[in-house]
Amino acid sequence: MTVREIFESMDYGPAPEGAAEALAWLVDGGDRYGHFIDGEMTAPGDGFLSRNPATGETLATLTQATQADVDAAVAAARAAQPKWARLSGHARARYLYALARLVQKHSRLFAVLETLDNGKPIRESRDIDIPLVARHFYYHAGMAQLMEAELPGREALGVCGQIIPWNFPLLMLAWKVAPAIAMGNTVVLKPAEYTSLTALLFAQICQEAGLPKGVVNIVTGDGAVGEMIVSHPDIDKIAFTGSTEVGRLIRRATAGTGKALTLELGGKSPYIVFDDADIDSAVEGLVDAIWFNAGQVCCAGSRLIVQEGIAERFHEKLRRRMNALRVGDPLDKCIDIGAVVDPAQHARIDAMVRSTGGEVFRADCPLPEGGCFYPPTLITGLEPADPLMQEEIFGPVLVGTTFRTPAEAVQLANNTRYGLAASVWSENVNLALDVAPKLAAGVVWVNATNLFDAAAGFGGVRESGFGREGGWEGLLAYTRPSGKSRKLSRIEPLAFPETPRAEGMDRTAKLYVGGKQARPDGGYSRPVWSPRGKLLGHAPIGNRKDVRNAVEAAQGASGWSRTTAHLRAQILYYIAENLEARADEFAQRIANMTGQTARTAEAEVAASVSRLFTYAAWADKLDGAAKPVPLRGLALAVNEPVGVIGAFCPDEAPLLGLVSVMAPIIAMGNRAVLVASEPYPLAATDFYQVLDTSDVQGGVVNILTGSHAELAPQLAGHLGVDAAWTFSSSDLSGVLEREAAGNLKRTWVNHGRARDWMSPDAEGRAFLAAATEVKTIWVPYGEG
Amino acid sequence: MQTDLSARAVSEDITAQLPQVHEPRNPGMPLDLDWVMSAQANTSAIERRAATLPGRRSVKKDHQAAWLLKAVSLIDLTTLAGDDTPGRVRRLCVKARQPVRAELLDQLGMEGLQVGAVCVYHDMVSVAVEALRGSGIPVAAVSTGFPAGLSPYRLRVAEIGESVAAGAREIDIVISRRHVLTGDWQALYDEVAEFRAACGDAHLKAILATGELGSLRNVARASLVAMMAGADFIKTSTGKEGVNATLPVSLVMIRALRDYHDRTGYRIGYKPAGGISKAKDALTYLSLLREELGPRWMQPDLFRFGASSLLGDIERQIEHHVTGRYSAAWRHPMG
């Protein structure tokens, strides 16, 4: 084309970013790579090809890790860990700082290599991925520096196995590695087999930073290598980002092993547009929501929910905008959408789109010949029951429906198994800030989408996983309370005595469900004997239907989550007051059941009253935070209740154990299904009378009695329960974690370790953290 | 769509730059306050779009040269200084006829390239008309008590007529900012409509002085009102406000005129003015235009840069494109 012809057409023309330096780096590496273990690259072994998805060309040959490779990497990490953790925070901070600087110094090389390997537009790798990587290392250099002062009493977990996806290869590496090593952990990381190259370049900058050998180890390979990491006995924690399906497998595989686990999984994030929104900006926002990285983003705004009155106009504007999108060579600085990562992914997207009955619009933009390109696609006229409204497509495909009222918008938005992110568009601050807390999501963007920063927590609820990455909350995933715990021994219920005695009037203990006393569904009870052979009463034997009823009652009491913190505090104080009034009776009950001295039993009651005060105090004091993100606006970290929490109470402290578990749950606005101490259940059944007289709304606290082992799979497997905890002396940790995989509910289990319920360690922030989810609400603002 | 035929036949001096040659002229419409008040502009989202645009679009090599030459053809070459003299204006007009050195244009096959218009104060209109005779380049006059728009109303209206009589083909009027700031949309509408009537066949560019309107929402609403009142162009600034053309303001105005086209079928022109001095900025504005409105708007009848120093930077870039060597200001004739 001549200049004059271009002058007439005003076409863009090619604007390629040079790949020479990145290709030269690959040549320097011999186009073949081994693993990065104990500070050295290993010799390349048998492996697989890493391809450029935009052209199909081979970039390098990578090595499939063997069990021996993984063992060597874990051994190196294990050997390096104690010394690394013993370094001062400042010393670790200097290494993280060096990594941040080196990422910046090699930023273009990283960006080009990422784009070659992944197919994402160079604009994204250059302007978003790599700057966020550097930011994450800077931020966590600061966390290492501050750890001793700000996180007293917490220590590294040990060796972390980290498995990351192909959609943000280096960024996910940063999200995993930076907090882990900042806190004194060492890591064995497996990048996705499609996209390992920037991880291998990162290995090189670890060497340039002089990072001690074994602190970061990188092994390449497919899912089989991931399995080796997940099942490795000498790994303390698994952090995984990827599909919900694989997350569920990992949850089951690690159940009961004592490995800590955080999962960042899939999503089907709603993008809600109200009729008073800036419509053009909301349309433009969708470009960043669903066409960012070709929609291969776990938090992609993939479900468009538009108010009915503006839907037609909105869709028309959207279709026009889509037609202006440019799909093409990812290295071209003038394209919007690059290649999807692999032909397999392309085929999957295509099959899903073909299956729909909705109205399909494909953008009228030319696609390059060859390569893995998929056109921007909009599917409208869908209803929640359509599979594409439920299933994650993970491609440049937006599905949409309409709503009538704000309440219906929330209902539609939350009608999903996922809960990663959400966008809300409205110029009405009342509306936007009312809707944001109602959305089941770990991240909410108001009049924006896909904003990220190291200071702001990111992570999901429901089947989008658990754990946060970024911010102070993200450090919980890489630290634990320091100190040793002792083993917890099983406490058996007392058997039928040799010389049974029964006296006094028979009192009937029942289950407590929905604020009412309920007979057990099965119609069975168990006598409860004192150590001296006295019949103290009968405890109902709860079964699966009692679990069902209790959960239903708890779900029905959702109003509790919307009450004010002040009211929750008042009610906790009132429970304490009413408990104190019956202190002697409870002490007697405890002494009778456990055979403890009167003084010990009285101390337990007094501690219970104090504990209720503690959580009454906390109810209105677990502050959120306004994060200093690099944006004019607020990034609010809001502590929200988890929902319905099912908990197996400690056996050894029949009253204090129950109160210690119940009080933080309800203080934070959750509803509880509590399974009382199995050997000593009668303090709990007495306690519901205290609840009855303390204005506790029915269904907020439900109390079951019976066999922990029998009830554990029922409660942990219930898909309407949001979290499952056990402090039981029965070995429930494995079954709880395994059954929790069903809906990926949060778990908090004791792995057979004891806790001193009389100690101050048995209350406070750890309990509050387990009883809350941090939701990050981004509210950019500005007028002018 | 209604075609204003009277505009087609105005004079032998008719130029390709004037919108009435290609497009039916905007007849205006009754003030639709429901529409005006429903206009929204979310500042932070608009700023994000504007901030990321330069990273999303890039033109290189021959394409960049062509785009920069296009930018030259879209410039309203402007002098609005108290010390303007006939000699100064004539010099500018010669530059307008030959904005880029002839041998550079020859090498690019772009002989005959001219700027979009020459923009001067009323007293310089006749000088400019004379200097540009035969070139086809129209003369634009800033008017209506430019830049503040606070001279007596009847004089402002009269000023338009005098400039048209002196040969100005385009009249850059300034609006009364107070009508926007007090939400008196009817008064704004009436004012622009009367200015438009006073323009006759000359076409009206409504300067909103966006830097003084307080919010992007006001910019959106003022844009709609000006178009409803019959503006042929909407323009950001006089160049004399504290803040002149910006990308966020441009995005808001461009979206307003897209909506106006969607609803009425009339294409309105856009002129960012003030503060656009670099070739790279011009490319960003052009890509904004292309992205939001499409290539039809990238023609002199629908888009102008109000700029005085932009041309110099583009000339240097053009020479760099042709020679492969960075240029210097003194190598290019001054305007």
Side-chain angles (χ1 to χ4, degrees):
Chain A
M1 272 177 109
T2 66
V3 170
R4 187 172 285 281
E5 283 164 350
I6 302 166
F7 183 88
E8 297 303 330
S9 72
M10 292 301 283
D11 286 339
Y12 280 114
E17 173 74 36
E21 289 82 356
L23 294 172
W25 182 81
L26 291 169
V27 171
D28 288 348
D31 295 324
R32 294 174 66 80
Y33 291 87
H35 313 294
F36 181 62
I37 296 173
D38 205 19
E40 307 285 344
M41 290 301 299
T42 63
D46 291 341
F48 54 98
L49 300 177
S50 186
R51 293 179 193 278
N52 177 346
T55 62
E57 287 164 12
T58 299
L59 295 167
T61 305
L62 304 181
T63 305
Q64 169 79 9
T66 61
Q67 185 65 50
D69 293 329
V70 173
D71 288 347
V74 173
R78 175 60 64 199
Q81 200 270 327
K83 196 174 166 197
W84 177 246
R86 273 199 309 275
L87 283 182
S88 70
H90 176 62
R92 286 199 305 278
R94 294 168 72 101
Y95 287 113
L96 278 126
Y97 177 75
L99 289 170
R101 300 294 279 194
L102 285 162
V103 167
Q104 287 186 317
K105 286 174 198 172
H106 298 306
S107 59
R108 194 54 60 91
L109 180 58
F110 270 118
V112 174
L113 195 59
E114 196 77 300
T115 285
L116 285 173
D117 202 13
N118 166 277
K120 67 172 63 195
I122 184 70
R123 176 191 78 88
E124 295 180 11
S125 50
R126 180 195 65 203
D127 294 351
I128 299 170
D129 290 45
I130 307 305
L132 282 172
V133 169
R135 164 93 181 121
H136 221 76
F137 279 102
Y138 276 121
Y139 182 84
H140 285 93
M143 286 302 196
Q145 179 78 22
L146 297 178
M147 183 181 181
E148 286 140 23
E150 296 300 317
L151 298 171
R154 293 193 77 83
E155 64 180 17
L157 297 171
V159 175
C160 301
Q162 306 182 316
I163 302 164
I164 57 173
W166 44 257
N167 57 347
F168 294 90
L170 190 69
L171 183 56
M172 290 302 105
L173 175 149
W175 281 21
K176 295 283 181 284
V177 170
I181 66 175
M183 294 295 104
N185 302 280
T186 54
V187 306
V188 175
L189 175 122
K190 187 193 87 67
E193 70 266 36
Y194 293 152
T195 56
S196 300
L197 296 180
T198 48
L200 296 168
L201 176 57
F202 181 78
Q204 181 182 312
I205 74 161
C206 287
Q207 292 174 322
E208 291 177 17
L211 194 70
K213 293 180 175 192
V215 171
V216 169
N217 303 275
I218 296 169
V219 292
T220 54
D222 59 13
V225 182
E227 275 184 64
M228 292 174 201
I229 293 174
V230 165
S231 60
H232 202 287
D234 202 28
I235 283 181
D236 300 295
K237 189 238 160 79
I238 298 292
F240 171 76
T241 295
S243 71
T244 292
E245 186 190 350
V246 174
R248 219 187 294 282
L249 293 174
I250 294 176
R251 172 68 290 179
R252 292 203 177 99
T254 55
T257 62
K259 283 192 179 81
L261 179 64
T262 45
L263 298 172
E264 204 271 89
L265 307 175
K268 189 78 180 175
S269 297
Y271 189 101
I272 306 169
V273 184
F274 287 100
D275 62 5
D276 68 338
D278 173 352
I279 291 178
D280 287 308
S281 288
V283 167
E284 192 59 42
L286 277 168
V287 175
D288 290 329
I290 184 66
W291 294 300
F292 176 48
N293 199 9
Q296 304 168 115
V297 181
C298 50
C299 55
S302 53
R303 246 184 334 136
L304 175 62
I305 303 176
V306 184
Q307 195 149 8
E308 205 170 312
I310 59 164
E312 201 179 324
R313 190 159 145 247
F314 189 91
H315 291 148
E316 192 189 315
K317 278 175 175 275
L318 176 58
R319 284 189 281 263
R320 178 160 57 188
R321 180 68 187 91
M322 289 168 69
N323 284 336
L325 291 169
R326 290 167 56 83
V327 182
D329 176 7
L331 276 174
D332 193 312
K333 288 179 277 195
C334 198
I335 63 116
D336 298 300
I337 300 172
V340 297
V341 72
D342 189 81
Q345 183 65 13
H346 189 280
R348 197 177 149 270
I349 297 167
D350 197 44
M352 289 182 87
V353 172
R354 280 173 198 282
S355 74
T356 187
E359 188 189 334
V360 178
F361 172 79
R362 284 191 182 80
D364 181 25
C365 49
L367 298 188
E369 298 286 321
C372 249
F373 295 93
Y374 198 89
T377 302
L378 168 69
I379 306 177
T380 48
L382 293 182
E383 301 302 335
D386 287 304
L388 288 193
M389 286 290 281
Q390 301 289 337
E391 305 297 329
E392 187 176 33
I393 299 173
F394 224 65
V397 182
L398 178 67
V399 300
T401 190
T402 61
F403 69 91
R404 297 167 296 173
T405 63
E408 189 173 64
V410 170
Q411 236 180 342
L412 283 164
N414 290 346
N415 187 207
T416 171
R417 287 178 291 128
Y418 295 111
L420 192 49
S423 283
V424 181
W425 290 80
S426 167
E427 289 300 295
N428 178 347
V429 67
N430 297 298
L431 177 58
L433 295 185
D434 181 48
V435 167
K438 292 177 179 165
L439 296 172
V443 185
V444 177
W445 295 291
V446 174
N447 292 321
T449 189
N450 280 341
L451 302 176
F452 309 101
D453 184 61
F458 181 90
V461 299
R462 296 186 178 168
E463 294 184 31
S464 292
F466 43 80
R468 292 292 175 266
E469 299 188 284
W472 293 98
E473 55 270 39
L475 303 181
L476 289 176
Y478 288 100
T479 56
R480 68 176 162 218
S482 41
K484 298 265 177 279
S485 60
R486 61 186 172 77
K487 194 173 177 313
L488 178 63
S489 306
R490 166 104 166 104
I491 304 174
E492 299 285 347
L494 291 166
F496 199 93
E498 286 175 17
T499 51
R501 289 182 298 126
E503 54 195 45
M505 181 183 284
D506 182 68
R507 274 173 62 192
T508 306
K510 291 186 184 167
L511 306 175
Y512 186 61
V513 175
K516 294 191 173 62
Q517 300 179 33
R519 290 183 202 285
D521 169 80
Y524 291 99
S525 292
R526 177 179 75 75
V528 180
W529 303 96
S530 81
R532 292 180 186 157
K534 186 171 145 190
L535 181 66
L536 300 173
H538 288 80
I541 300 178
N543 68 9
R544 60 199 304 260
K545 292 202 171 147
D546 297 312
V547 167
R548 177 199 65 189
N549 295 343
V551 172
E552 200 172 298
Q555 286 170 334
S558 59
W560 179 252
S561 302
R562 295 189 293 274
T563 56
T564 65
H566 175 69
L567 178 71
R568 296 197 297 271
Q570 280 190 309
I571 287 176
L572 281 157
Y573 283 126
Y574 198 18
I575 298 172
E577 188 185 310
N578 287 324
L579 176 61
E580 174 117 325
R582 294 170 61 176
D584 293 347
E585 175 201 333
F586 273 94
Q588 184 84 49
R589 180 65 106 183
I590 293 166
N592 283 344
M593 285 191 296
T594 63
Q596 289 167 338
T597 65
R599 219 170 126 176
T600 309
E602 282 160 15
E604 181 173 337
V605 178
S608 301
V609 171
S610 170
R611 192 135 292 163
L612 287 162
F613 262 59
T614 295
Y615 290 106
W618 268 120
D620 55 5
K621 292 176 190 65
L622 189 68
D623 298 342
K627 299 300 184 78
V629 293
L631 167 91
R632 188 189 58 224
L634 299 168
L636 300 172
V638 181
N639 294 305
E640 292 195 340
V642 172
V644 174
I645 300 179
F648 291 85
C649 297
D651 288 322
E652 64 273 28
L655 178 67
L656 179 59
L658 179 93
V659 166
S660 298
V661 173
M662 176 201 77
I665 290 176
I666 67 173
M668 294 295 108
N670 302 282
R671 291 89 72 195
V673 176
L674 305 173
V675 184
S677 165
E678 183 172 342
Y680 314 129
L682 297 180
T685 54
D686 293 344
F687 187 73
Y688 63 62
Q689 294 178 347
V690 174
L691 295 176
D692 265 343
T693 54
S694 305
D695 294 342
V696 179
Q697 182 199 331
V700 173
V701 178
N702 304 278
I703 298 174
L704 304 178
T705 56
S707 159
H708 286 191
E710 280 178 30
L711 292 176
Q714 305 304 335
L715 191 52
H718 195 303
L719 300 176
V721 172
D722 300 294
W725 300 356
T726 175
F727 304 97
S728 173
S729 70
S730 296
D731 179 13
L732 308 181
S733 300
V735 67
L736 231 65
E737 290 186 332
R738 199 155 40 246
E739 289 296 334
N743 66 343
L744 289 160
K745 60 174 66 68
R746 293 88 190 88
T747 54
W748 190 17
V749 302
N750 59 3
H751 294 298
R753 308 307 295 180
R755 188 181 281 272
D756 176 3
W757 294 98
M758 295 294 286
S759 139
D761 294 345
E763 65 182 26
R765 287 194 179 268
F767 286 78
L768 298 168
T772 51
E773 295 277 11
V774 178
K775 174 187 273 181
T776 305
I777 303 177
W778 293 74
V779 191
Y781 53 69
E783 182 78 32
Chain B
M1 286 190 292
Q2 175 193 334
T3 307
D4 192 341
L5 290 171
S6 62
R8 282 183 176 274
V10 276
S11 80
E12 78 285 358
D13 202 29
I14 197 161
T15 64
Q17 277 85 345
L18 293 177
Q20 45 272 58
V21 175
H22 305 284
E23 289 282 328
R25 192 176 183 191
N26 174 28
M29 58 176 279
L31 178 64
D32 180 345
L33 272 178
D34 286 346
W35 181 5
V36 173
M37 296 313 289
S38 72
Q40 298 285 11
N42 186 284
T43 299
S44 62
I46 287 163
E47 286 175 349
R48 279 195 302 281
R49 166 71 169 145
T52 58
L53 181 70
R56 291 178 198 258
R57 289 292 178 265
S58 179
V59 280
K60 296 293 174 199
K61 303 197 161 111
D62 277 358
H63 285 81
Q64 188 180 83
W67 279 53
L68 288 175
L69 292 169
K70 176 63 77 176
V72 170
S73 77
L74 299 172
I75 290 177
D76 277 4
L77 205 56
T78 301
T79 183
L80 294 171
D83 57 1
D84 284 344
T85 60
R88 159 81 186 108
V89 169
R90 277 193 286 271
R91 190 167 77 199
L92 194 73
C93 290
V94 174
K95 186 69 177 171
R97 288 166 177 263
Q98 183 71 54
V100 177
R101 260 175 26 222
E103 88 276 14
L104 294 175
L105 291 183
D106 285 349
Q107 292 195 47
L108 294 167
M110 286 297 297
E111 305 82 355
L113 182 76
Q114 298 182 335
V115 301
V118 166
C119 181
V120 293
Y121 270 118
H122 169 78
D123 271 8
M124 296 294 139
V125 169
S126 55
V127 177
V129 167
E130 189 54 39
L132 291 170
R133 190 170 300 283
S135 69
I137 300 172
V139 173
V142 297
S143 193
T144 66
F146 182 94
L150 289 168
S151 53
Y153 184 68
R154 104 193 127 68
L155 297 184
R156 280 185 268 153
V157 176
E159 190 183 356
I160 294 173
E162 301 233 349
S163 293
V164 173
R169 309 304 324 249
E170 306 180 3
I171 303 294
D172 290 22
I173 62 107
V174 291
I175 65 161
S176 296
R177 282 69 127 179
R178 65 183 181 282
H179 294 332
V180 177
L181 296 173
T182 59
D184 193 347
W185 304 112
Q186 185 67 52
L188 178 65
Y189 178 87
D190 293 344
E191 178 182 81
V192 176
E194 188 164 359
F195 290 167
R196 159 72 195 267
C199 282
D201 292 332
H203 83 269
L204 178 143
K205 300 195 191 105
I207 303 176
L208 304 181
T210 54
E212 295 179 347
L213 298 187
S215 71
L216 292 179
R217 197 184 321 279
N218 273 349
V219 170
R221 291 175 181 175
S223 298
L224 288 173
V225 173
M227 289 186 282
M228 289 171 186
D232 298 295
F233 254 71
I234 52 176
K235 173 176 169 184
T236 59
S237 320
T238 64
K240 314 287 187 190
E241 289 85 51
V243 179
N244 295 294
T246 65
L247 276 183
V249 157
S250 298
L251 189 53
V252 170
M253 293 174 73
I254 279 173
R255 285 173 172 175
L257 53 86
R258 182 171 64 199
D259 276 348
Y260 191 80
H261 177 248
D262 283 352
R263 292 214 199 179
T264 67
Y266 292 100
R267 289 192 174 89
I268 309 298
Y270 177 61
K271 178 176 173 184
I276 304 166
S277 57
K278 297 291 178 209
K280 190 169 186 347
D281 297 341
L283 295 177
T284 302
Y285 273 90
L286 289 178
S287 59
L288 178 72
L289 203 62
R290 198 182 200 296
E291 290 304 299
E292 296 283 331
L293 295 171
R296 173 62 191 91
W297 251 273
M298 307 169 86
Q299 302 296 335
D301 63 329
L302 289 174
F303 184 81
R304 302 285 178 77
F305 285 112
S308 42
S309 58
L310 172 63
L311 179 57
D313 197 50
I314 293 180
E315 287 176 271
R316 288 193 293 279
Q317 297 303 321
I318 294 293
E319 184 166 36
H320 174 244
H321 175 76
V322 170
T323 66
R325 293 292 178 267
Y326 290 109
S327 182
W330 47 265
R331 296 175 58 82
H332 304 280
M334 59 195 284

